[in-house]
Amino acid sequence: MTTTTSTSTAIDAPAGRVWRLLTDAAWWNRADNGVVDVAGTIREGQRVKLVSELNPQRGFKLKVVDVDPPRSMTWSGGMPVGLFTGRRTFQVEPDGPERCTFTMAEDFTGPLAPLITRSLPDFQDSFDQFAAALKADGEAARDD
């Protein structure tokens, strides 16, 4: 069984600018994006710890498992031997030189997914808040 949450938004900014925000831990920690803290380096093979406003008392240890700049990135975390796995994907699709579409999705899989996902809060509002913050900051920023 797979449980998925996703969001998508058009951003009037170059894909490279949006990508730079998305891969900048400092942006995650200062933006009004539903994230309390991200510790670590957002780079393939690295580990990050994410603390969300949905549950600020708990941090999630995730590995940046796949990065294809400036288009896609995947983070993964969960339990050993695939009992429960969360995979968050970020995609930035250029729609021209000054516009792109951002999509973020989280899939939960594994034999324990039905049990564990029942205890998780609904991520939709948090995902939408994240996409709105990325859009606002991407459109407000200027490339040097």
Side-chain angles (χ1 to χ4, degrees):
M1 178 179 169
T2 300
T3 302
T4 303
T5 302
S6 66
T7 191
S8 186
T9 189
I11 302 176
D12 290 321
R17 180 186 309 153
V18 173
W19 182 260
R20 282 189 295 279
L21 292 173
L22 189 61
T23 57
D24 179 5
W27 175 80
W28 286 69
N29 292 324
R30 73 174 178 269
D32 180 23
N33 58 16
V35 174
V36 174
D37 184 53
V38 166
T41 302
I42 302 173
R43 190 173 310 138
E44 189 168 351
Q46 299 297 308
R47 296 200 177 273
V48 295
K49 182 178 177 185
L50 175 103
V51 180
S52 170
E53 287 179 359
L54 288 174
N55 188 352
Q57 290 77 36
R58 181 161 188 238
F60 296 92
K61 294 179 182 177
L62 306 162
K63 184 172 183 178
V64 182
V65 294
D66 185 38
V67 179
D68 181 16
R71 294 189 178 257
S72 66
M73 174 171 58
T74 304
W75 296 4
S76 184
M79 299 174 75
V81 296
L83 292 173
F84 175 75
T85 302
R87 290 182 63 84
R88 183 169 294 188
T89 58
F90 307 87
Q91 294 182 322
V92 180
E93 187 65 35
D95 297 328
E98 295 295 321
R99 186 173 171 88
C100 62
T101 299
F102 169 72
T103 303
M104 179 172 71
E106 178 110 30
D107 297 320
F108 295 109
T109 60
L112 296 180
L115 177 66
I116 293 173
T117 56
R118 276 187 259 147
S119 67
L120 294 175
D122 184 351
F123 287 18
Q124 191 63 58
D125 288 344
S126 179
F127 272 41
D128 292 343
Q129 180 182 357
F130 184 90
L134 188 62
K135 175 181 176 67
D137 289 352
E139 291 177 355
R142 294 292 168 246
D143 296 325
D144 294 329

